[in-house]
């Protein structure tokens, strides 16, 4: 059985703790906390939706979820590896933005710290697609969707983003699709 990304993060956290690697330990803890927050947000959204479906009984107070509903929500709110990759990619993007800000602020010490953290996060992300690979995938999806111009961008973007999730930055995908649909 394949090890899930979350299990790998937990195993790597244990190794970092045993090995005394404080930077790796800190980065993995932050990533796991972000994953846990995303799962909590998903759980809250699912619970609100389930409560909204409950019949309202006047004079009986607020509707409540059954134990079975709560268990189902807890199970369904766990993030799949693809969603976890999205959380880790977001953490990496935040490091990139911090690096740029610290370079502008002439803080080489903080640049080095953020770069070291980003290297660790990138170990968990799939190899990033080149611009040529993004263009090839975009052309394939545009052709399959029958998109002809900029007005068809809404048909194409969700499919391309899903196909390249974790492998390419959304801004770059957007640029490529915009270029291809203009010409």
């Amino acid at each position: 059985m394949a090890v899930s990304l979350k299990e790998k993060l937990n195993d790597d956290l244990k190794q970092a703790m045993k090995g005394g690697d404080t930077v790796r330990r800190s980065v993995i803890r932050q990533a796991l906390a972000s994953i846990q927050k995303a799962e909590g947000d998903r759980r809250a959204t699912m619970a609100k939706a389930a409560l909204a479906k409950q019949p309202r009984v006047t004079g009986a107070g607020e509707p409540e979820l059954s134990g079975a509903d709560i268990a189902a929500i807890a199970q369904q709110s766990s993030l799949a590896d693809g969603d976890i990759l999205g959380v880790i990619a977001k953490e990496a993007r935040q490091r990139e933005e911090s690096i740029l800000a610290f370079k502008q602020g002439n803080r080489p010490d903080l640049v080095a710290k953020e770069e070291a953290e980003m290297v660790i996060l990138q170990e968990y992300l799939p190899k990033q697609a080149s611009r040529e690979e993004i263009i090839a995938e975009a052309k394939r999806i545009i052709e399959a969707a029958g998109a002809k111009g900029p007005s068809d961008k809404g048909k194409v973007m969700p499919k391309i983003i899903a196909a390249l999730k974790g492998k390419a930055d959304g801004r770059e995908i957007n640029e490529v699709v915009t270029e291809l649909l203009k010409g």
Side-chain angles (χ1 to χ4, degrees):
M1 185 173 118
V3 176
S4 77
L5 188 52
K6 192 172 178 181
E7 290 169 344
K8 180 170 176 29
L9 284 164
N10 280 310
D11 291 344
D12 290 353
L13 175 61
K14 289 174 191 169
Q15 291 302 317
M17 290 170 76
K18 286 179 186 175
D21 188 343
T22 56
V23 174
R24 181 172 293 277
R25 182 191 69 208
S26 172
V27 170
I28 294 172
R29 277 186 175 162
Q30 287 173 345
L32 286 169
S34 294
I35 292 165
Q36 202 169 25
K37 181 184 180 324
E39 288 175 340
D41 292 347
R42 180 182 279 185
R43 221 176 353 267
T45 301
M46 293 171 77
K48 282 182 184 176
L51 280 172
K53 292 178 185 175
Q54 295 284 330
R56 292 258 182 219
V57 179
T58 56
E62 292 296 315
E64 293 183 14
L65 295 176
S66 69
D69 288 338
I70 293 170
I73 289 171
Q75 186 175 18
Q76 293 170 0
S77 66
S78 290
L79 296 180
D81 280 357
D83 297 323
I84 291 173
L85 283 175
V87 171
I88 294 173
K90 182 178 177 184
E91 290 283 320
R93 274 193 307 277
Q94 288 173 343
R95 298 311 189 286
E96 287 175 14
E97 291 168 4
S98 295
I99 289 168
L100 289 173
F102 291 142
K103 280 182 180 177
Q104 289 174 349
N106 198 22
R107 294 293 309 266
D109 55 327
L110 296 176
V111 169
K113 176 185 173 285
E114 294 291 326
E115 286 175 341
E117 290 179 0
M118 195 163 74
V119 166
I120 293 168
L121 289 169
Q122 287 174 336
E123 292 174 14
Y124 297 99
L125 295 172
K127 180 186 157 283
Q128 294 295 293
S130 68
R131 187 159 179 94
E132 292 75 31
E133 292 169 325
I134 295 169
I135 290 169
E137 185 67 18
K139 284 180 178 178
R140 185 187 68 74
I141 292 175
I142 287 170
E143 187 176 318
K148 302 290 183 213
S151 62
D152 294 330
K153 191 174 180 180
K155 288 187 221 172
V156 174
M157 282 302 290
K159 294 175 184 173
I160 294 175
I161 288 174
L164 296 174
K165 187 168 189 156
K167 297 178 189 171
D169 182 56
R171 289 176 284 219
E172 189 168 8
I173 293 170
N174 187 30
E175 286 174 16
V176 167
V177 171
T178 303
E179 288 172 19
L180 290 174
L181 289 176
K182 276 184 185 176

